[in-house]
Amino acid sequence: MDKKVQNKINSIIAEINAIASELEDISHDLGREFKGIGATESASSLQRAASKYRNVIHELRKI
């Protein structure tokens, strides 16, 4: 694979990883700061989104 393309993929992976980490941080903060069904559902939804981003990273690393 072309070095330029690989560098671009690595850059995308780093950005996606940062997004997933931020979503996980927000999810944990929601769980810690707020109580109730809405907070739990929101935190869970953010965790699922972060997991999907991590799956994208996994697929990009296969390239």
Side-chain angles (χ1 to χ4, degrees):
M1 178 183 301
D2 182 67
K3 185 72 171 168
K4 188 175 181 179
V5 172
Q6 187 62 47
N7 286 340
K8 185 65 175 175
I9 290 171
N10 288 339
S11 175
I12 292 168
I13 288 171
E15 284 294 319
I16 292 172
N17 190 49
I19 292 167
S21 293
E22 186 68 24
L23 288 172
E24 289 173 342
D25 289 346
I26 293 168
S27 171
H28 293 305
D29 289 345
L30 272 174
R32 201 173 53 241
E33 298 290 327
F34 300 97
K35 300 297 177 202
I37 295 172
T40 302
E41 284 298 314
S42 295
S44 178
S45 178
L46 289 170
Q47 284 293 331
R48 286 191 302 273
S51 178
K52 288 178 183 179
Y53 279 109
R54 301 262 186 231
N55 289 338
V56 170
I57 290 171
H58 178 72
E59 292 300 317
L60 285 172
R61 286 192 173 136
K62 290 181 183 179
I63 297 176

